[in-house]
Amino acid sequence: MAVVVDPKDSLFWFGTSDAMPTDQYFLLAFATAGPAAAPTWEKLVEVIADRSAAIPALNKRLAESPAGIDYPRWVHHAADMGECVHRLVDEDSTCSTPEATRQWSTCVDRIEELLGSTLDATRTPWQLHIAPDVVGVPDVDGRATIVFVRFSHVLTDGLGGAALLRALFGRTPHPADAEIAAASEPHEPGAVGWRLRDVGRAFGRLVRLPSALVATAVAGRRSARSSDSEDPPTAPLRRASINTCGAGVRDVTVLPIPRRISASQRFTVTQLALCAASLATERLLIRRGEAPDSLAAAVPVAVREGAQWLGDNRFATAVVGLGVASSTALDRAEAIRSSLGAERRRLVSPDTITMLRLVESVPWPILSRYLRRGRARGVRTEFVPAHMSVTSVNCGDADMELSGAPAVMVAGFPCLSPDIGIGLGIYGLGTTVTLGVLTSPDAVPDADEYVDLLRSALDELSMTVA
């Protein structure tokens, strides 16, 4: 794997900011028997320091190219626990009592604050925020140690992040998990040598760009002919009131997904969770006096094994129709399954891969200038790429622990964007699956109302469709 960051990965680095982070978020709960069984802070840090030292991806940082000639690169940087591991809720915080610092609601408040900032990958691409001995965690009996994990998206994708969690917390770690996003320079090269290499790489991209443009155009025409004959293209999506997101405050909720849904033999948990999101969002918009004729979700789809694909973020984004025109919940779930399947077929095709890889041939000075101009314009159009963002990540068997406490729940939240104010994460650990809900008050002023609609839709589907 290359040390220089792939251009597709670099888009996450360029696009992130405190106003609109692109980081990845995981939330884990490790069950503890009680206050006496909860590990000390010093013990937690010691365990994490020992495990992280053996994971290359957690011991590097980004280094920018001198004068912005080329894309950044990864350089080795031993993880500093003072930089990477923090208390989620400080004991000397403004909580009224020591017991309040151990409430799930207090942890959620603090997570919402953290979602208003981004990681600086030039310092560290990961952070853990830990709260021991927490009560009131959804679907968890008794007490738990809460770990909120942030990965810079330039480091890896959701599946890669789950692998790094297994490497960090797995009872029996698999070597392949620890090798995710492992590459880095052993040290920072001298400025002159680095500049010369960066100039050579930038020139090489410029030379390859014309042929890449031709290949992309040919692939685009071929893909269009194929989609006309197989799967109809997605119609333009009109902006709804939920298609807005400003900087600052976020609302977070974790909903346990009913076991009847996660164990369904008729549909996957992703399909049914998308169906619940469709029902809840349509009902929310109808209450506002909007009657959407279509809804769609942006859903990451993993690039197939063996595909020619550089970079550590191995996914493309599908636009999945949410079956609003369906007359029954069952028909809606069927429509979603069909749309998701069609998008997966489109995104794994060699022609689509060719088009997505065009950016690999664009020199950084050209791409960064183009992105800056687009960001400066910030034009709100009538149409949007999707109405919400939905991720689905299987974190593997429930074989993780922290200082002897077993992992019993994981949740996650996709990042938002200026045009998408609702993010839903379907995250599984063993047989336990959660729906992480992340919303912007600009899109959803009353988060509790939307969460109640989601909960009701999940219960409805578990009794009728699953």
Side-chain angles (χ1 to χ4, degrees), residues 234-240 243 294-297 319 321 382-387:
T234 303
L237 301 169
R238 292 193 177 278
R239 181 180 294 274
N243 287 113
S294 65
L295 287 174
V319 180
E382 179 184 357
F383 300 104
V384 292
H387 296 100

Side-chain angles (χ1 to χ4, degrees), residues 235-260:
L237 301 169
R238 292 193 177 278
R239 181 180 294 274
S241 60
I242 56 174
N243 287 113
T244 182
C245 178
V249 181
R250 300 287 184 261
D251 292 306
V252 168
T253 304
V254 176
L255 289 176
I257 289 182
R259 295 297 172 95
R260 284 175 61 92

Side-chain angles (χ1 to χ4, degrees), residues 107-463:
C107 293
V108 170
D109 290 344
R110 176 60 179 141
I111 290 169
E112 291 173 348
E113 293 176 10
L114 290 170
L115 292 174
S117 63
T118 190
L119 279 173
D120 180 359
T122 63
R123 295 170 63 92
T124 177
W126 67 286
Q127 275 186 349
L128 302 186
H129 298 261
I130 305 174
D133 197 28
V134 176
V135 297
V137 182
D139 220 24
V140 175
D141 295 329
R143 300 170 181 268
T145 295
I146 298 301
V147 180
F148 180 63
V149 186
R150 298 202 291 179
F151 290 123
S152 173
H153 220 315
V154 69
L155 180 68
T156 189
D157 56 20
L159 293 177
L164 292 176
L165 291 182
R166 293 193 297 270
L168 191 59
F169 298 117
R171 289 193 181 96
T172 53
H174 299 289
D177 288 339
E179 291 305 312
I180 294 293
S184 67
E185 292 266 10
H187 54 80
E188 293 193 30
V192 175
W194 201 346
R195 277 178 196 267
L196 290 175
R197 282 192 289 174
D198 286 354
V199 168
R201 264 188 300 271
F203 181 74
R205 294 185 203 277
L206 191 60
V207 169
R208 296 193 299 272
L209 183 55
S211 61
L213 287 168
V214 171
T216 299
V218 172
R221 287 195 296 269
R222 196 162 47 222
S223 178
R225 288 195 299 268
S226 175
S227 65
D228 287 344
S229 60
E230 295 176 8
D231 302 308
T234 303
L237 301 169
R238 292 193 177 278
R239 181 180 294 274
S241 60
I242 56 174
N243 287 113
T244 182
C245 178
V249 181
R250 300 287 184 261
D251 292 306
V252 168
T253 304
V254 176
L255 289 176
I257 289 182
R259 295 297 172 95
R260 284 175 61 92
I261 286 182
S262 58
S264 173
Q265 300 299 308
R266 302 173 69 182
F267 297 94
T268 67
V269 65
T270 299
Q271 292 161 359
L272 290 175
L274 283 168
C275 190
S278 172
L279 290 166
T281 306
E282 182 184 19
R283 290 164 182 170
L284 177 71
L285 292 174
I286 288 173
R287 288 183 181 182
R288 296 179 179 181
E290 301 174 53
D293 54 4
S294 65
L295 287 174
V299 181
V301 172
V303 173
R304 60 181 171 80
E305 289 294 328
Q308 298 237 336
W309 186 270
L310 304 177
D312 292 307
N313 282 273
R314 293 184 58 84
F315 73 90
T317 301
V319 180
V320 179
L322 297 181
V324 169
S326 304
S327 57
T328 67
L330 177 60
D331 289 342
R332 190 178 297 233
E334 293 280 10
I336 289 169
R337 173 160 58 191
S338 175
S339 179
L340 184 57
E343 279 291 271
R344 281 183 171 146
R345 288 191 297 274
R346 181 181 70 84
L347 292 173
V348 301
S349 73
D351 287 333
T352 300
I353 296 297
T354 296
M355 291 187 286
L356 292 172
R357 292 189 62 188
L358 171 63
V359 69
E360 295 172 11
S361 300
V362 180
W364 174 240
I366 295 176
L367 181 62
S368 60
R369 180 176 176 82
Y370 173 79
L371 294 173
R372 285 191 185 94
R373 289 180 63 183
R375 181 187 289 177
R377 285 196 298 265
V379 178
R380 283 172 60 91
T381 62
E382 179 184 357
F383 300 104
V384 292
H387 296 100
M388 65 185 70
S389 178
V390 180
T391 60
S392 183
V393 179
N394 182 352
C395 295
D397 297 333
D399 189 37
M400 291 191 280
E401 67 175 15
L402 176 57
S403 194
V408 292
M409 183 270 282
V410 64
F413 316 95
C415 55
L416 304 181
S417 70
D419 284 327
I420 295 182
I422 295 176
L424 304 175
I426 308 155
Y427 283 60
L429 182 67
T431 59
T432 300
V433 187
T434 62
L435 184 65
V437 185
L438 174 63
T439 58
S440 164
D442 299 296
V444 185
D446 187 348
D448 290 339
E449 177 190 19
Y450 185 58
V451 168
D452 287 342
L453 288 170
L454 283 168
R455 185 183 290 110
S456 176
L458 287 169
D459 291 340
E460 175 185 335
L461 292 174
S462 71
M463 299 305 295

Side-chain angles (χ1 to χ4, degrees), residues 32-115:
T32 54
T40 64
W41 177 254
E42 292 72 21
K43 180 62 176 176
L44 290 172
V45 174
E46 178 186 345
V47 168
I48 293 166
D50 288 344
R51 293 295 289 267
S52 64
I55 305 173
L58 306 185
N59 290 273
K60 64 182 187 179
R61 65 174 185 84
L62 273 188
E64 297 186 60
S65 170
I69 299 170
D70 196 22
Y71 293 89
R73 70 177 65 210
W74 291 110
V75 296
H76 177 76
H77 179 72
D80 177 359
M81 292 301 101
E83 179 81 38
C84 299
V85 183
H86 303 267
R87 294 184 186 272
L88 181 58
V89 180
D90 292 330
E91 293 181 349
D92 59 350
S93 66
T94 57
C95 295
S96 57
T97 65
E99 289 74 21
T101 66
R102 294 191 288 271
Q103 294 293 323
W104 168 250
S105 58
T106 304
C107 293
V108 170
D109 290 344
R110 176 60 179 141
I111 290 169
E112 291 173 348
E113 293 176 10
L114 290 170
L115 292 174

